[in-house]
Amino acid sequence: MTATEFLFGDERKSSEDCDIYESLKMLVAAEVSQDAKFYFGPPKSMPDGFNAADLATLTVWFLISEGHRAIDSYLNRNMEGVSIGMTMGVPMSFFRDSQLRSSFVNIARRAWSIYREEGLLGTTLLIEKGLRVLEKYPWTLVPPTPEYEVRNWIRSEGEAAMWWPFQSPAVAAGPYAKVDIGAGTTHASLFRIFGTAQTPKTTLAFFGAVSVNVGMDAVDSAIAESEAWKGDCLALRGKERSILQTSAKARGAVIPTKEQIYEAYRKSWIETYRKINDYVAEREAWSNHKVFVIGGGSLVPLLVETVRVHPGRSIPLELATLEQPPDLTRFDNKRVTSDELPFVTVAYGLSNIGFSIPEAFTPDQVPPMPDRNEPRLRLDRDDIYGK
């Protein structure tokens, strides 16, 4: 944000000539819940006349516009008869929270209304115009969203990231963990894909899901401090792997952050374990579940080796491989590389809508497994067959 404009996705600017607003998702969560722990970094004040949800709405309007422009270019400017939709991803832990879920649904629907009525948004927006647009489309005009329509507008990032593994014949039904080490957050979830070798996979059920406000930003900050880096620590993005391989000091500095990232996985396992309890068959299945690692942290071996350790058994688990979806290519028609794939799995899953979306249960919808020691009513044969 400059003195007069919002600049979306402009990496040429620095904090010296404008105000930078990152991790808007987490700023919204902190604002709505009034809990500062959601946001990593120093407190961030909002511009006069705006709150975090307003900035998020304008950003989503810009992202929808970017999608529209990409489709228009792909179709050689022939958009006749083309309909566009959108779905926004949020952490599973946000999706489970009724207050946060409602806030993000409203952001998605408000941004969509602005796009439909005001057209495309470019990379710049006058602050004065931004205020006028938000005033013209207030929160009060966002229509109520029935519960059965919520997933049309927002879906959990964990569910979206696992859409292709769910569809892929190479990924078997069974228990899995997904750890998404992003820029400002880490999201961990444990889920089961239901189905058999003889039948199509049917549903996704999440047993545990936890988010922490620590991710690659915190890793970069720790590295920068240990290496006496003078500039913006985010300039280290993409260099973490080589620095950590060569600098023992940097590896030592990252240990506290690494442990905080692992905490998301550990707490997700605790939630899962409370559900499976003493159900022997389920406990045995979860003792060797596979782990998907996505996000920027998936390119840093030190972090991957950390989060592949079973939280309950302290043994390394097998990593599940993300496959290249057959219909996913870059805009220049080149194949998405293995380094790029962890960054686009959520967006790819969100781009699939309608009947292709499998039924997905949140941890709140998955009841505890029955305790095998729980007393059970013994039925006489005549109770069953004598009627």
Side-chain angles (χ1 to χ4, degrees):
M1 176 186 174
T2 68
T4 59
E5 293 179 316
F6 288 116
L7 307 174
F8 298 95
D10 190 341
E11 297 179 351
R12 296 169 298 173
K13 294 291 184 179
S14 69
S15 57
E16 296 175 359
D17 51 16
C18 63
D19 292 321
I20 304 293
Y21 293 89
E22 296 182 306
S23 295
L24 281 175
K25 173 174 60 180
M26 307 311 290
L27 285 170
V28 169
E31 178 180 271
V32 170
S33 65
Q34 298 186 330
D35 189 345
K37 74 177 183 182
F38 279 107
Y39 179 70
F40 173 78
K44 191 76 176 178
S45 59
M46 291 295 108
D48 290 341
F50 297 88
N51 58 29
D54 291 332
L55 296 188
T57 299
L58 295 177
T59 302
V60 175
W61 177 21
F62 165 71
L63 292 172
I64 296 170
S65 302
E66 285 286 271
H68 183 118
R69 282 187 283 268
I71 295 168
D72 184 47
S73 176
Y74 181 77
L75 297 176
N76 296 317
R77 308 290 185 269
N78 182 19
M79 294 283 284
E80 184 178 355
V82 175
S83 297
I84 296 176
M86 62 85 71
T87 309
M88 188 169 73
V90 298
M92 173 65 79
S93 57
F94 289 11
F95 193 86
R96 297 170 63 183
D97 184 296
S98 60
Q99 186 182 32
L100 292 178
R101 182 172 65 245
S102 175
S103 297
F104 282 99
V105 168
N106 286 341
I107 288 171
R109 299 202 64 173
R110 190 184 188 195
W112 181 253
S113 296
I114 295 173
Y115 155 74
R116 290 290 299 273
E117 300 299 326
E118 300 293 324
L120 305 185
L121 173 60
T123 56
T124 62
L125 175 68
L126 289 172
I127 295 172
E128 182 182 351
K129 182 178 179 181
L131 283 169
R132 288 201 310 269
V133 168
L134 292 171
E135 185 176 338
K136 185 178 177 181
Y137 302 94
W139 299 109
T140 52
L141 289 184
V142 176
T145 304
E147 196 64 31
Y148 63 86
E149 290 185 0
V150 165
R151 288 175 76 227
N152 294 337
W153 294 100
I154 66 170
R155 299 214 303 276
S156 80
E157 292 168 347
E159 170 196 339
M162 293 299 104
W163 184 87
W164 173 241
F166 180 87
Q167 301 292 335
S168 171
V171 178
Y176 295 91
K178 185 274 304 177
V179 183
D180 183 354
I181 309 173
T185 55
T186 296
H187 312 298
S189 56
L190 283 93
F191 63 96
R192 177 180 277 284
I193 298 176
F194 285 94
T196 68
Q198 292 76 34
T199 61
K201 288 171 281 190
T202 55
T203 55
L204 282 166
F206 288 82
F207 285 58
V210 173
S211 300
V212 296
N213 67 342
V214 178
M216 294 307 295
D217 288 353
V219 171
D220 291 336
S221 178
I223 292 175
E225 187 174 349
S226 71
E227 300 291 296
W229 180 264
K230 300 299 183 182
D232 186 348
C233 69
L234 297 184
L236 298 173
R237 187 60 44 83
K239 303 174 183 177
E240 300 93 349
R241 178 174 183 165
S242 59
I243 295 174
L244 291 171
Q245 284 176 337
T246 57
S247 173
K249 189 176 181 181
R251 289 196 298 273
V254 167
I255 289 175
T257 303
K258 186 176 66 170
E259 291 175 347
Q260 288 176 284
I261 288 173
Y262 187 75
E263 189 70 359
Y265 187 16
R266 189 184 72 83
K267 288 183 176 179
S268 184
W269 166 251
I270 290 173
E271 186 176 14
T272 300
Y273 185 80
R274 286 172 178 165
K275 292 180 184 297
I276 62 178
N277 199 12
D278 288 328
Y279 196 64
V280 178
E282 198 68 15
R283 282 175 54 193
E284 180 63 26
W286 283 100
S287 67
N288 287 296
H289 61 269
K290 293 183 179 180
V291 182
F292 289 96
V293 185
I294 64 174
S298 67
L299 304 180
V300 181
L302 180 65
L303 299 180
V304 174
E305 291 305 309
T306 297
V307 299
R308 66 178 293 197
V309 175
H310 195 299
R313 302 180 63 206
S314 299
I315 61 169
L317 296 166
E318 183 180 349
L319 291 174
T321 303
L322 281 174
E323 291 184 300
Q324 171 80 37
D327 60 348
L328 177 63
T329 57
R330 288 159 43 113
F331 187 67
D332 57 9
N333 286 325
K334 292 182 180 179
R335 185 179 177 85
V336 175
T337 67
S338 58
D339 282 356
E340 292 170 328
L341 194 56
F343 294 96
V344 298
T345 53
V346 173
Y348 176 70
L350 292 172
S351 72
N352 289 277
I353 60 176
F355 292 114
S356 67
I357 306 173
E359 189 172 21
F361 297 98
T362 70
D364 299 321
Q365 296 170 313
V366 177
M369 294 292 175
D371 186 341
R372 65 185 178 88
N373 297 317
E374 184 179 278
R376 295 177 181 165
L377 179 65
R378 294 185 65 86
L379 292 177
D380 185 87
R381 176 188 176 283
D382 289 341
D383 290 330
I384 304 173
Y385 303 109
K387 298 176 182 178

